[in-house]
Coordinates of all heavy atoms in Angstrom, one line a residue:
M1236 N 0.9 -1.2 0.0 CA 0.0 0.0 0.0 C 0.9 1.2 0.0 O 1.9 1.2 0.6 CB -0.9 0.0 1.2 CG -1.9 -1.0 1.3 SD -3.1 -0.7 2.6 CE -4.3 -1.9 2.3
L1237 N 0.4 2.2 -0.7 CA 1.1 3.5 -0.7 C 0.2 4.5 0.0 O -1.0 4.6 -0.3 CB 1.3 3.9 -2.2 CG 2.0 5.3 -2.4 CD1 3.4 5.3 -1.8 CD2 2.0 5.7 -3.9
V1238 N 0.8 5.2 1.0 CA 0.0 6.2 1.8 C 0.5 7.6 1.4 O 1.7 7.9 1.6 CB 0.2 5.9 3.3 CG1 -0.5 7.0 4.1 CG2 -0.3 4.5 3.7
V1239 N -0.4 8.4 0.9 CA -0.1 9.7 0.5 C -1.0 10.6 1.4 O -2.1 10.9 1.1 CB -0.4 10.0 -0.9 CG1 -0.1 11.4 -1.4 CG2 0.4 9.0 -1.8
E1240 N -0.3 11.1 2.5 CA -1.1 11.9 3.5 C -0.2 13.0 4.0 O 1.0 12.7 4.5 CB -1.6 11.1 4.6 CG -2.3 11.8 5.8 CD -3.4 12.7 5.4 OE1 -4.3 12.3 4.7 OE2 -3.2 13.9 5.7
S1241 N -0.6 14.3 4.1 CA 0.3 15.3 4.5 C 0.4 15.5 6.0 O 1.4 16.0 6.5 CB -0.1 16.7 3.9 OG -1.5 17.0 4.3
D1242 N -0.7 15.1 6.7 CA -0.7 15.2 8.2 C 0.2 14.1 8.8 O -0.1 12.9 8.6 CB -2.1 15.0 8.7 CG -2.2 15.2 10.2 OD1 -1.7 14.3 10.9 OD2 -2.9 16.2 10.6
D1243 N 1.3 14.5 9.3 CA 2.3 13.5 9.8 C 1.7 12.5 10.8 O 2.0 11.3 10.8 CB 3.5 14.2 10.5 CG 4.3 15.0 9.5 OD1 4.3 14.7 8.3 OD2 5.0 16.0 10.0
S1244 N 0.9 13.0 11.8 CA 0.4 12.2 12.8 C -0.6 11.2 12.2 O -0.6 10.0 12.5 CB -0.4 13.0 13.8 OG -1.0 12.2 14.8
L1245 N -1.5 11.7 11.3 CA -2.4 10.8 10.7 C -1.7 9.7 9.8 O -2.0 8.5 9.9 CB -3.4 11.5 9.8 CG -4.5 10.7 9.1 CD1 -5.3 9.8 10.0 CD2 -5.4 11.7 8.3
R1246 N -0.7 10.2 9.0 CA 0.0 9.3 8.2 C 0.7 8.2 9.1 O 0.7 7.0 8.7 CB 1.1 10.0 7.4 CG 1.8 9.1 6.4 CD 2.9 9.9 5.6 NE 3.8 10.6 6.5 CZ 3.9 11.8 6.6 NH1 3.2 12.7 5.9 NH2 4.8 12.4 7.5
D1247 N 1.3 8.6 10.1 CA 2.0 7.6 11.0 C 1.0 6.6 11.6 O 1.3 5.4 11.7 CB 2.8 8.4 12.2 CG 3.9 9.2 11.7 OD1 4.4 8.9 10.5 OD2 4.5 10.0 12.4
N1248 N -0.2 7.1 12.0 CA -1.2 6.2 12.5 C -1.6 5.2 11.5 O -1.8 4.0 11.8 CB -2.4 6.9 13.1 CG -2.1 7.6 14.4 OD1 -1.2 7.2 15.1 ND2 -2.8 8.7 14.7
I1249 N -1.9 5.7 10.3 CA -2.3 4.8 9.2 C -1.2 3.7 8.9 O -1.5 2.5 8.8 CB -2.6 5.6 7.9 CG1 -3.8 6.5 8.1 CG2 -2.8 4.7 6.7 CD1 -4.0 7.5 7.0
V1250 N 0.1 4.2 8.8 CA 1.1 3.2 8.6 C 1.3 2.2 9.7 O 1.5 1.0 9.4 CB 2.5 4.0 8.3 CG1 3.7 3.1 8.4 CG2 2.4 4.8 7.1
T1251 N 1.2 2.6 10.9 CA 1.2 1.7 12.1 C 0.2 0.7 12.0 O 0.4 -0.5 12.1 CB 1.1 2.5 13.4 OG1 2.2 3.4 13.5 CG2 1.2 1.6 14.6
V1252 N -1.1 1.1 11.7 CA -2.2 0.1 11.7 C -2.0 -0.9 10.5 O -2.2 -2.1 10.6 CB -3.5 0.8 11.6 CG1 -4.7 -0.1 11.2 CG2 -3.8 1.6 12.9
L1253 N -1.7 -0.3 9.3 CA -1.5 -1.2 8.2 C -0.3 -2.1 8.3 O -0.4 -3.3 7.9 CB -1.4 -0.4 6.9 CG -2.6 0.4 6.5 CD1 -2.3 1.3 5.3 CD2 -3.8 -0.5 6.2
S1254 N 0.8 -1.7 8.8 CA 2.0 -2.5 9.0 C 1.7 -3.6 10.0 O 2.1 -4.8 9.8 CB 3.1 -1.7 9.5 OG 3.5 -0.8 8.5
A1255 N 1.0 -3.3 11.1 CA 0.6 -4.3 12.1 C -0.3 -5.3 11.6 O -0.3 -6.5 12.0 CB 0.0 -3.6 13.3
A1256 N -1.1 -5.0 10.6 CA -2.0 -5.9 9.9 C -1.2 -6.8 8.9 O -1.9 -7.6 8.3 CB -3.1 -5.2 9.3
G1257 N 0.0 -6.5 8.7 CA 0.8 -7.4 7.8 C 1.0 -6.8 6.4 O 1.6 -7.5 5.5
F1258 N 0.6 -5.6 6.1 CA 0.7 -5.0 4.8 C 2.1 -4.3 4.6 O 2.7 -3.8 5.6 CB -0.3 -3.9 4.6 CG -1.7 -4.4 4.5 CD1 -2.6 -4.4 5.6 CD2 -2.2 -5.0 3.3 CE1 -3.9 -4.9 5.5 CE2 -3.5 -5.5 3.2 CZ -4.3 -5.5 4.3
E1259 N 2.6 -4.4 3.4 CA 3.8 -3.7 3.1 C 3.4 -2.2 2.8 O 2.5 -2.1 1.9 CB 4.5 -4.3 1.9 CG 5.8 -3.6 1.4 CD 6.4 -4.2 0.2 OE1 5.9 -5.2 -0.3 OE2 7.4 -3.6 -0.3
V1260 N 3.9 -1.3 3.4 CA 3.5 0.1 3.3 C 4.6 1.0 2.9 O 5.7 0.9 3.5 CB 2.8 0.6 4.6 CG1 2.3 2.0 4.5 CG2 1.7 -0.3 5.1
S1261 N 4.4 1.9 2.0 CA 5.4 2.9 1.6 C 4.7 4.3 1.7 O 3.5 4.4 1.5 CB 5.9 2.7 0.2 OG 6.7 3.8 -0.2
T1262 N 5.5 5.3 2.1 CA 5.0 6.6 2.2 C 5.9 7.5 1.3 O 5.8 8.7 1.3 CB 5.1 7.2 3.6 OG1 6.4 7.2 4.1 CG2 4.2 6.5 4.5
D1263 N 6.7 6.9 0.5 CA 7.6 7.6 -0.5 C 6.8 7.9 -1.8 O 6.7 7.0 -2.6 CB 8.9 6.8 -0.8 CG 9.8 7.5 -1.8 OD1 9.6 8.7 -2.0 OD2 10.7 6.8 -2.3
Y1264 N 6.3 9.1 -1.9 CA 5.5 9.4 -3.1 C 6.0 10.7 -3.7 O 5.2 11.4 -4.5 CB 4.0 9.6 -2.7 CG 3.9 10.5 -1.4 CD1 3.8 11.8 -1.5 CD2 3.8 9.9 -0.2 CE1 3.7 12.6 -0.4 CE2 3.6 10.7 0.9 CZ 3.5 12.0 0.8 OH 3.4 12.8 1.9
G1265 N 7.2 11.0 -3.5 CA 7.8 12.3 -4.1 C 7.7 12.4 -5.5 O 7.7 13.6 -6.1
D1266 N 7.7 11.3 -6.3 CA 7.7 11.4 -7.7 C 6.3 11.1 -8.3 O 6.2 10.8 -9.5 CB 8.7 10.4 -8.3 CG 10.1 10.9 -8.1 OD1 10.4 12.1 -8.0 OD2 11.0 10.0 -8.0
G1267 N 5.3 11.2 -7.5 CA 3.9 11.1 -8.0 C 3.7 9.7 -8.7 O 3.9 8.7 -8.1
I1268 N 3.2 9.8 -9.9 CA 2.8 8.6 -10.7 C 4.0 7.7 -10.9 O 3.9 6.5 -11.0 CB 2.1 9.0 -12.0 CG1 1.5 7.7 -12.6 CG2 3.1 9.6 -13.0 CD1 0.3 7.2 -11.9
K1269 N 5.2 8.2 -11.0 CA 6.5 7.4 -11.1 C 6.6 6.5 -9.9 O 7.0 5.4 -10.0 CB 7.7 8.3 -11.3 CG 7.7 9.0 -12.6 CD 9.0 9.8 -12.7 CE 9.0 10.6 -14.1 NZ 10.2 11.5 -14.1
T1270 N 6.3 7.0 -8.7 CA 6.4 6.2 -7.5 C 5.3 5.1 -7.5 O 5.6 4.0 -7.2 CB 6.2 7.1 -6.3 OG1 7.2 8.1 -6.2 CG2 6.2 6.3 -5.0
V1271 N 4.1 5.4 -8.0 CA 3.1 4.4 -8.1 C 3.5 3.3 -9.0 O 3.3 2.1 -8.7 CB 1.7 5.1 -8.5 CG1 0.7 4.0 -8.8 CG2 1.3 6.1 -7.5
L1272 N 4.1 3.7 -10.1 CA 4.5 2.7 -11.1 C 5.7 1.8 -10.5 O 5.7 0.6 -10.7 CB 5.0 3.4 -12.4 CG 3.9 4.0 -13.3 CD1 4.5 4.8 -14.4 CD2 3.0 2.9 -13.9
A1273 N 6.6 2.5 -9.8 CA 7.7 1.7 -9.2 C 7.3 0.8 -8.1 O 7.8 -0.3 -8.0 CB 8.8 2.7 -8.8
F1274 N 6.5 1.3 -7.2 CA 6.1 0.5 -6.1 C 5.0 -0.5 -6.4 O 4.9 -1.6 -5.8 CB 5.6 1.5 -4.9 CG 5.3 0.8 -3.6 CD1 6.3 0.1 -2.9 CD2 4.0 0.7 -3.1 CE1 6.1 -0.5 -1.7 CE2 3.8 0.1 -1.9 CZ 4.8 -0.5 -1.2
D1275 N 4.2 -0.2 -7.4 CA 3.1 -1.1 -7.9 C 2.2 -1.5 -6.7 O 2.1 -2.7 -6.5 CB 3.7 -2.3 -8.6 CG 2.6 -3.1 -9.4 OD1 1.6 -2.5 -9.7 OD2 2.8 -4.3 -9.5
P1276 N 1.6 -0.6 -6.0 CA 0.8 -1.0 -4.8 C -0.6 -1.5 -5.3 O -1.0 -1.3 -6.4 CB 0.6 0.4 -4.2 CG 0.6 1.4 -5.3 CD 1.6 0.9 -6.2
D1277 N -1.2 -2.3 -4.4 CA -2.5 -2.8 -4.7 C -3.5 -1.7 -4.3 O -4.6 -1.6 -4.9 CB -2.8 -4.0 -3.8 CG -2.0 -5.2 -4.2 OD1 -1.8 -5.4 -5.4 OD2 -1.5 -5.9 -3.3
V1278 N -3.2 -0.8 -3.3 CA -4.0 0.2 -2.9 C -3.2 1.4 -2.6 O -2.1 1.4 -2.1 CB -4.8 -0.2 -1.5 CG1 -5.6 0.9 -1.0 CG2 -5.6 -1.4 -1.7
V1279 N -3.8 2.6 -3.0 CA -3.2 3.9 -2.6 C -4.2 4.6 -1.7 O -5.4 4.7 -2.0 CB -3.0 4.8 -3.8 CG1 -2.5 6.2 -3.4 CG2 -2.0 4.2 -4.8
V1280 N -3.7 4.9 -0.5 CA -4.5 5.7 0.5 C -4.1 7.1 0.3 O -3.0 7.5 0.5 CB -4.2 5.2 2.0 CG1 -5.0 6.1 2.9 CG2 -4.5 3.8 2.1
L1281 N -5.0 7.9 -0.2 CA -4.7 9.3 -0.7 C -5.5 10.3 0.1 O -6.7 10.3 0.1 CB -5.2 9.4 -2.2 CG -4.9 10.7 -2.9 CD1 -3.4 11.0 -3.0 CD2 -5.5 10.6 -4.3
G1282 N -4.7 11.1 0.8 CA -5.3 12.2 1.6 C -5.8 13.3 0.7 O -5.3 13.4 -0.4
A1283 N -6.8 14.0 1.1 CA -7.4 15.1 0.2 C -6.4 16.3 0.0 O -6.7 17.1 -0.8 CB -8.7 15.5 0.8
D1284 N -5.4 16.4 0.8 CA -4.4 17.5 0.6 C -3.0 17.0 0.8 O -2.2 17.4 1.6 CB -4.7 18.5 1.7 CG -3.9 19.8 1.5 OD1 -3.5 20.1 0.4 OD2 -3.7 20.5 2.5
P1285 N -2.5 16.1 -0.1 CA -1.2 15.6 0.0 C -0.2 16.7 -0.3 O -0.4 17.5 -1.2 CB -1.1 14.5 -1.0 CG -2.2 14.8 -2.0 CD -3.2 15.5 -1.2
P1286 N 1.0 16.7 0.4 CA 2.0 17.7 0.1 C 2.6 17.5 -1.3 O 2.8 16.4 -1.7 CB 3.0 17.5 1.2 CG 2.9 16.0 1.5 CD 1.4 15.7 1.3
Q1287 N 2.9 18.6 -1.9 CA 3.6 18.6 -3.2 C 2.9 17.9 -4.3 O 3.4 17.7 -5.4 CB 5.0 18.0 -3.1 CG 5.9 18.7 -2.0 CD 7.1 17.9 -1.7 OE1 7.2 16.7 -1.9 NE2 8.2 18.6 -1.3
L1288 N 1.7 17.6 -4.1 CA 0.9 16.9 -5.2 C -0.6 17.4 -5.1 O -1.1 17.7 -4.0 CB 0.8 15.4 -5.0 CG 2.1 14.6 -5.1 CD1 1.9 13.2 -4.7 CD2 2.6 14.6 -6.5
D1289 N -1.2 17.5 -6.2 CA -2.6 17.8 -6.1 C -3.3 16.4 -6.2 O -3.2 15.7 -7.1 CB -3.0 18.6 -7.4 CG -4.5 18.9 -7.4 OD1 -4.9 19.8 -6.6 OD2 -5.2 18.2 -8.1
C1290 N -4.1 16.1 -5.2 CA -4.7 14.8 -5.0 C -5.6 14.5 -6.2 O -5.6 13.3 -6.7 CB -5.5 14.7 -3.7 SG -7.0 15.7 -3.6
C1291 N -6.3 15.4 -6.7 CA -7.1 15.1 -7.9 C -6.3 14.8 -9.1 O -6.6 13.9 -9.9 CB -8.1 16.2 -8.2 SG -9.3 16.4 -6.8
D1292 N -5.2 15.5 -9.3 CA -4.3 15.2 -10.4 C -3.7 13.8 -10.3 O -3.6 13.0 -11.3 CB -3.2 16.2 -10.5 CG -3.6 17.6 -11.0 OD1 -4.8 17.7 -11.6 OD2 -2.9 18.5 -10.9
L1293 N -3.3 13.4 -9.1 CA -2.7 12.1 -8.9 C -3.7 11.0 -9.1 O -3.5 10.0 -9.8 CB -2.1 12.0 -7.5 CG -1.4 10.6 -7.2 CD1 -0.3 10.3 -8.3 CD2 -0.9 10.6 -5.8
L1294 N -4.9 11.3 -8.6 CA -6.0 10.3 -8.8 C -6.3 10.2 -10.3 O -6.5 9.0 -10.8 CB -7.3 10.8 -8.1 CG -8.5 9.9 -8.2 CD1 -8.3 8.4 -7.7 CD2 -9.7 10.5 -7.5
S1295 N -6.4 11.3 -11.0 CA -6.6 11.2 -12.5 C -5.5 10.4 -13.2 O -5.8 9.7 -14.1 CB -6.7 12.6 -13.0 OG -7.8 13.3 -12.5
E1296 N -4.3 10.7 -12.8 CA -3.1 10.0 -13.4 C -3.2 8.5 -13.2 O -3.0 7.7 -14.1 CB -1.8 10.5 -12.9 CG -1.4 11.8 -13.4 CD -0.1 12.2 -12.9 OE1 0.9 11.8 -13.5 OE2 0.0 13.1 -12.0
I1297 N -3.6 8.1 -11.9 CA -3.7 6.7 -11.6 C -4.8 6.0 -12.4 O -4.6 5.0 -13.0 CB -3.9 6.5 -10.1 CG1 -2.7 6.9 -9.3 CG2 -4.3 5.0 -9.8 CD1 -2.9 7.0 -7.8
K1298 N -5.9 6.6 -12.4 CA -7.1 6.0 -13.0 C -7.0 6.2 -14.5 O -7.7 5.4 -15.3 CB -8.4 6.6 -12.5 CG -8.6 6.2 -11.0 CD -8.7 4.7 -10.9 CE -8.9 4.2 -9.5 NZ -8.9 2.7 -9.5
G1299 N -6.3 7.1 -15.1 CA -6.2 7.4 -16.5 C -5.1 6.6 -17.2 O -5.0 6.6 -18.4
S1300 N -4.3 5.8 -16.5 CA -3.2 5.0 -17.1 C -3.6 3.6 -17.2 O -4.1 3.0 -16.2 CB -1.9 5.2 -16.2 OG -0.9 4.3 -16.7
K1301 N -3.3 3.0 -18.3 CA -3.6 1.5 -18.5 C -2.8 0.7 -17.5 O -3.2 -0.4 -17.1 CB -3.3 1.1 -19.9 CG -4.3 1.5 -20.9 CD -4.0 0.9 -22.2 CE -5.1 1.3 -23.2 NZ -5.1 0.6 -24.4
Q1302 N -1.6 1.2 -17.1 CA -0.7 0.5 -16.2 C -1.3 0.5 -14.8 O -1.0 -0.4 -14.0 CB 0.7 1.0 -16.2 CG 1.4 0.8 -17.5 CD 2.7 1.5 -17.5 OE1 2.8 2.7 -17.5 NE2 3.8 0.7 -17.5
T1303 N -2.0 1.5 -14.4 CA -2.4 1.7 -13.0 C -3.9 1.8 -12.8 O -4.3 1.9 -11.6 CB -1.7 3.0 -12.4 OG1 -2.1 4.1 -13.2 CG2 -0.2 2.8 -12.4
H1304 N -4.7 1.8 -13.8 CA -6.1 2.0 -13.6 C -6.8 1.0 -12.7 O -7.9 1.3 -12.2 CB -6.8 2.2 -14.9 CG -7.1 0.9 -15.7 ND1 -6.1 0.4 -16.5 CD2 -8.1 0.0 -15.6 CE1 -6.6 -0.8 -17.0 NE2 -7.8 -1.0 -16.5
D1305 N -6.3 -0.1 -12.5 CA -6.8 -1.2 -11.6 C -6.5 -1.0 -10.2 O -7.0 -1.7 -9.3 CB -6.5 -2.6 -12.1 CG -7.2 -3.0 -13.4 OD1 -8.3 -2.5 -13.6 OD2 -6.6 -3.8 -14.1
I1306 N -5.6 -0.1 -9.8 CA -5.2 0.2 -8.4 C -6.4 0.8 -7.7 O -7.0 1.8 -8.2 CB -4.0 1.0 -8.4 CG1 -2.8 0.3 -9.0 CG2 -3.7 1.4 -6.9 CD1 -1.5 1.2 -9.0
R1307 N -6.7 0.2 -6.6 CA -7.8 0.8 -5.8 C -7.2 2.0 -5.0 O -6.1 2.1 -4.6 CB -8.3 -0.2 -4.7 CG -9.0 -1.3 -5.4 CD -9.5 -2.3 -4.3 NE -10.3 -3.3 -4.9 CZ -9.9 -4.5 -5.2 NH1 -8.7 -4.8 -4.9 NH2 -10.7 -5.4 -5.7
V1308 N -8.0 3.1 -5.0 CA -7.7 4.3 -4.3 C -8.7 4.6 -3.2 O -9.9 4.6 -3.5 CB -7.6 5.5 -5.3 CG1 -7.3 6.8 -4.5 CG2 -6.6 5.2 -6.4
V1309 N -8.2 4.8 -2.0 CA -9.0 5.2 -0.9 C -8.7 6.7 -0.6 O -7.6 7.0 -0.3 CB -8.8 4.3 0.4 CG1 -9.6 4.8 1.6 CG2 -9.0 2.8 0.1
M1310 N -9.7 7.5 -0.7 CA -9.5 8.9 -0.4 C -9.9 9.2 1.0 O -11.0 8.8 1.5 CB -10.4 9.8 -1.4 CG -10.1 9.7 -2.8 SD -8.7 10.7 -3.3 CE -9.2 12.3 -2.9
L1311 N -9.1 10.0 1.7 CA -9.3 10.5 3.0 C -9.6 12.0 2.9 O -8.9 12.7 2.3 CB -8.1 10.3 4.0 CG -7.6 8.8 4.1 CD1 -6.4 8.8 5.0 CD2 -8.7 8.0 4.7
S1312 N -10.7 12.4 3.5 CA -11.0 13.8 3.5 C -11.4 14.3 4.9 O -11.9 13.5 5.7 CB -12.1 14.1 2.5 OG -13.3 13.6 2.9
P1313 N -11.1 15.5 5.3 CA -11.5 16.0 6.6 C -13.0 16.0 6.7 O -13.7 16.2 5.7 CB -11.0 17.4 6.6 CG -10.2 17.6 5.4 CD -10.4 16.5 4.4
R1314 N -13.5 15.6 7.9 CA -14.9 15.6 8.3 C -15.5 14.5 7.5 O -16.4 14.4 7.0 CB -15.5 17.0 8.0 CG -14.9 18.0 8.9 CD -15.6 19.3 8.7 NE -14.6 20.3 9.1 CZ -14.5 21.5 8.7 NH1 -15.2 21.9 7.7 NH2 -13.6 22.3 9.1

């Protein structure tokens, strides 16, 4: 799983829970879609305000590419 979340505390909590459940988790998303292609996650947990990325652009890139369109994306939004 790839976790893209700007809130450090929330990101750390998500990673802790997912890792404890046995998932391989990465938070290295500095290269956007290139990271998604390289890590090849089954799921991307995408915060509504990720740093250095526009969440809608990244979502569009993931869903618009034949290589990544099958990746599930879970969006986190405030409230």
Side-chain angles (χ1 to χ4, degrees):
M1236 293 190 171
L1237 177 63
V1238 177
V1239 180
E1240 172 55 57
S1241 62
D1242 182 294
D1243 293 338
S1244 178
L1245 179 56
R1246 184 182 56 248
D1247 291 345
N1248 286 337
I1249 293 168
V1250 169
T1251 299
V1252 169
L1253 293 174
S1254 296
F1258 293 100
E1259 179 183 354
V1260 181
S1261 175
T1262 59
D1263 179 14
Y1264 48 82
D1266 288 331
I1268 193 68
K1269 291 179 183 177
T1270 300
V1271 174
L1272 290 169
F1274 187 64
D1275 193 27
D1277 294 319
V1278 176
V1279 174
V1280 178
L1281 182 61
D1284 187 27
Q1287 302 171 336
L1288 294 173
D1289 179 77
C1290 67
C1291 294
D1292 286 346
L1293 181 58
L1294 178 60
S1295 294
E1296 287 184 79
I1297 291 170
K1298 292 303 180 180
S1300 169
K1301 285 187 178 192
Q1302 293 174 295
T1303 58
H1304 74 273
D1305 288 332
I1306 295 174
R1307 290 182 176 98
V1308 177
V1309 177
M1310 294 281 300
L1311 302 178
S1312 66
R1314 298 182 201 147

